[in-house]
């Protein structure tokens, strides 16, 4: 997956971060991050992680770290048991969580997807709106764009994640996930 993230904070110029993410299941991933401030690569393999600074070539010693798939937001959303019965709100179904730490979801029956999510982030409300790929994409139904807006006393902040390219591969050499 190739993702471009644009962060706009009140009174500051926008910052753009490009991320390439290659995963092999839940426990193996390579994440390459490039921006004007940093260029690094993180390799995760079964609870071990290695970080390389791409500008200098320096590597941090490999360390133990819980495996996480950065492309999976399902854990944040929870499961159907975590929500009360849906209620209609406009053309979407509003799913209110039983636990206030979970986000409120807005589900489209027509698209069979969550289209919007309200969550508390650092004590502020954040609204995420999702766009999905249609049949013209190589992976139809996957997330195409997420726009996250939050309001603070200083003004509105916006984070936009755009999936520029998404591909599914079945054969990957496991050697690329080496963290020695």
């Amino acid at each position: 997956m190739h993702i471009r993230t644009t962060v706009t904070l009140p009174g500051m110029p926008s910052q753009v971060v490009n991320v390439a993410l290659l995963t092999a299941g839940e426990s193996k991933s390579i994440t390459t991050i490039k921006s004007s401030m940093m260029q690094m690569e993180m390799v995760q393999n079964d609870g071990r992680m290695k970080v390389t600074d791409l500008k200098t070539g320096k590597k941090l010693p490999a360390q133990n770290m819980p495996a996480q798939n950065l492309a999976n937001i399902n854990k944040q959303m929870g499961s159907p048991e975590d929500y009360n019965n849906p209620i209609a709100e406009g053309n979407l179904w509003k799913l209110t969580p039983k636990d206030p730490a979970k986000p409120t979801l807005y589900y489209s029956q027509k698209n069979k997807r969550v289209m919007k999510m309200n969550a508390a982030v650092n004590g502020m409300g954040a609204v995420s709106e999702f766009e999905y790929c249609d049949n013209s994409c190589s992976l139809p139904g996957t997330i195409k764009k997420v726009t996250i807006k939050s309001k603070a006393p200083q003004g509105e902040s916006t984070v936009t994640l755009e999936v520029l390219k998404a591909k599914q591969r079945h054969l990957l050499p496991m050697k690329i996930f080496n963290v020695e």
Side-chain angles (χ1 to χ4, degrees):
M1 220 186 262
H2 288 200
I3 304 166
R4 178 177 49 222
T5 303
T6 306
V7 179
T8 307
L9 300 172
M12 298 180 74
S14 296
Q15 295 290 321
V16 177
V17 178
N18 290 301
V19 177
L21 179 62
L22 177 67
T23 61
E26 285 287 321
S27 65
K28 293 176 179 31
S29 68
I30 299 173
T31 307
T32 306
I33 302 170
K34 293 184 179 182
S35 74
S36 60
M37 296 174 23
M38 76 167 102
Q39 293 188 17
M40 63 189 265
E41 179 182 77
M42 296 180 295
V43 178
Q44 291 185 337
N45 188 344
D46 294 326
R48 301 270 300 152
M49 183 166 96
K50 172 179 71 174
V51 178
T52 305
D53 182 330
L54 297 174
K55 285 182 178 179
T56 64
K58 291 184 181 177
K59 297 178 184 185
L60 293 175
Q63 54 190 326
N64 291 328
M65 186 161 223
Q68 35 182 310
N69 181 345
L70 299 175
N72 187 352
I73 61 169
N74 292 336
K75 288 178 184 169
Q76 181 186 358
M77 290 182 177
S79 64
E81 295 79 33
D82 297 329
Y83 290 87
N84 297 311
N85 288 332
I87 54 173
E89 189 167 294
N91 59 348
L92 299 175
W93 288 98
K94 181 179 180 180
L95 299 151
T96 309
K98 293 175 182 173
D99 176 1
K102 294 265 185 227
T104 300
L105 305 177
Y106 294 85
Y107 180 83
S108 167
Q109 183 68 34
K110 178 184 170 193
N111 298 337
K112 297 189 181 344
R113 299 273 185 263
V114 172
M115 303 305 288
K116 189 168 137 182
M117 176 173 77
N118 287 348
V121 178
N122 297 330
M124 296 181 295
V127 177
S128 302
E129 292 185 1
F130 302 93
E131 291 179 35
Y132 297 91
C133 285
D134 57 17
N135 290 332
S136 66
C137 295
S138 59
L139 294 173
T142 57
I143 289 180
K144 177 180 174 181
K145 182 177 179 181
V146 180
T147 304
I148 305 164
K149 293 182 180 179
S150 59
K151 293 190 187 285
Q154 305 86 348
E156 185 176 85
S157 301
T158 305
V159 176
T160 305
L161 293 102
E162 298 171 89
V163 177
L164 304 175
K165 187 177 182 181
K167 231 183 191 184
Q168 188 170 17
R169 297 176 188 207
H170 295 286
L171 295 173
L172 291 170
M174 289 300 117
K175 187 182 197 178
I176 65 174
F177 299 101
N178 188 353
V179 292
E180 291 177 13

